[in-house]
Amino acid sequence: WAKTAGKGRWALFDSERNERELTRYALSSAMPDALDRGEFCLDYQPLVSLSDGSLLGVEALVRWRHPKLGVLRPDRFIGLAEETGMIVRLGGWVLAEACRQARRWIDLSPQAPFVSVNLAVRQVRGPGLVDEVTTILERYSLPPDRLQLEITESAMMNSADESVHNLRSLADLGVRIAIDDFGTGYSNLAYLRSLPVCELKVAGSFVEGLRAPAADPASITDERILATLVSLAHTLDLTVTAEGVETAAQADRLRAIGCDAAQGWHFGQPNPASHVDALL
Ligand code: C2E
Ligand code: MG
Ligand code: MG
Ligand code: MG
């Protein structure tokens, strides 16, 4: 009986796995045409100053409006795009589209936010990145400090010399460089000091601890870790943005420890560009 049950289970796992593989395959092979057909779009999520509540920037987050599967979040396809190399073309589109919007916002308002764009490892390492960014900034006459590039901590730590060279050239242009999901990898602040970074985005997992009642011991520990991180970052002239801020209480505690900016549902969901127009 056990054996049969075991066999049955294997059969189930196999077919589930096959289906997953098929979907992965179907998604990766559909991506190039999907990009040409305009199925990808960007949502923008506010980055807000904790000291005065002003809108500092917006992060561009890619979505795929798949004709059959509905709107797909990046976790479903960014990894695939990295594997196939498609990320270079997709990432190029994201960069151009975000800069086009940033230009529109400058034309709409003197308080226009900067746009923050996520870069995949392949893009940061690629030989074409600096030229690509330069060309796009020129195309939209976008001041370089209206563009921020986010690189995850783990990508940064694995980065080869070319990546560091690329980031330096971009920073020299005046583009802002941020470390995304800080705290989830193994980097240290001493190493970061040697990189042309201006901002740390602290991963939501750290901020989560601040949801518990302020008297909770675990929550107090998380708050102390964050406070230490913020003060070290400030010593290195880095600003700190907290990700995943979902409640007013979290925002208050982050403000109290001197965190500079925040992003999360409490301040705004990712939304189409027209929502940013309305904010301005
Ligand atoms: P990320 O850069 O850390 O982006 C923040 C993610 O947290 C977004 O998920 C956002 O919707 C979500 N989020 C925002 N506020 C809250 C909150 O208060 N609570 C919680 N629980 N989550 C919140 P999303 O849009 O699904 O993006 C996931 C990841 O996909 C991003 O993480 C980023 O690493 C990657 N990604 C998105 N767009 C691009 C892109 O254009 N290129 C590349 N290479 N990666 C991208
Ligand atoms: Mg990001
Ligand atoms: Mg992040
Ligand atoms: Mg992330």
Side-chain angles (χ1 to χ4, degrees):
W1 183 84
K3 209 175 168 190
T4 322
K7 240 181 145 186
R9 277 190 23 211
W10 278 115
L12 180 66
F13 284 154
D14 270 356
S15 73
E16 265 176 16
R17 195 172 61 207
N18 284 342
E19 200 176 305
R20 249 200 331 264
E21 282 303 318
L22 265 177
T23 314
R24 283 167 54 82
Y25 177 75
L27 285 180
S28 13
S29 42
M31 241 182 267
D33 286 345
L35 183 58
D36 295 336
R37 279 195 302 266
E39 289 177 15
F40 289 93
C41 64
L42 297 180
D43 276 351
Y44 298 86
Q45 186 177 33
L47 300 159
V48 174
S49 160
L50 278 169
S51 53
D52 64 6
S54 61
L55 179 68
L56 302 171
V58 290
E59 179 173 1
L61 296 159
V62 69
R63 278 89 180 86
W64 181 356
R65 298 180 175 283
H66 193 283
K68 294 210 180 78
L69 302 172
V71 179
L72 302 181
R73 302 274 303 270
D75 296 333
R76 281 289 293 281
F77 59 84
I78 287 291
L80 290 175
E82 291 216 49
E83 282 170 31
T84 60
M86 178 66 197
I87 193 67
V88 175
R89 203 151 78 77
L90 178 61
W93 176 82
V94 169
L95 208 46
E97 175 59 14
C99 288
R100 188 181 71 80
Q101 289 296 347
R103 175 73 243 171
R104 277 189 56 246
W105 290 322
I106 290 179
D107 296 338
L108 272 177
S109 159
Q111 272 101 48
F114 64 79
V115 283
S116 199
V117 173
N118 295 283
L119 290 187
V121 188
R122 274 219 205 212
Q123 287 175 280
V124 187
R125 237 195 331 241
L129 181 68
V130 178
D131 280 350
E132 186 175 25
V133 170
T134 308
T135 305
I136 292 172
L137 291 175
E138 275 168 10
R139 185 189 310 158
Y140 297 111
S141 311
L142 190 67
D145 71 348
R146 298 293 83 194
L147 175 63
Q148 174 166 282
L149 300 174
E150 299 190 10
I151 297 109
T152 61
E153 189 189 12
S154 42
M156 201 62 140
M157 294 311 288
N158 297 327
S159 61
D161 285 352
E162 306 98 275
S163 313
V164 177
H165 178 81
N166 278 344
L167 293 178
R168 267 219 180 91
S169 307
L170 291 165
D172 287 345
L173 282 178
V175 171
R176 308 163 51 92
I177 311 284
I179 303 286
D180 200 359
D181 299 344
F182 185 81
T184 58
Y186 300 97
S187 68
N188 57 64
L189 287 165
Y191 174 67
L192 285 183
R193 203 160 74 116
S194 68
L195 298 171
V197 169
C198 68
E199 171 154 321
L200 291 189
K201 297 189 74 180
V202 177
S205 47
F206 278 91
V207 178
E208 223 168 281
L210 302 189
R211 288 193 72 124
D216 182 303
S219 180
I220 291 172
T221 305
D222 278 343
E223 186 169 315
R224 285 191 188 141
I225 292 173
L226 273 172
T228 308
L229 195 69
V230 168
S231 89
L232 268 170
H234 285 169
T235 309
L236 299 173
D237 272 334
L238 302 171
T239 60
V240 181
T241 296
E243 304 189 279
V245 180
E246 297 179 354
T247 69
Q250 281 175 312
D252 289 341
R253 290 174 75 181
L254 287 162
R255 189 179 302 109
I257 60 178
C259 189
D260 304 284
Q263 174 180 8
W265 299 338
H266 173 64
F267 295 99
Q269 301 269 346
N271 270 311
S274 56
H275 283 242
V276 180
D277 295 8
L279 290 179
L280 301 174

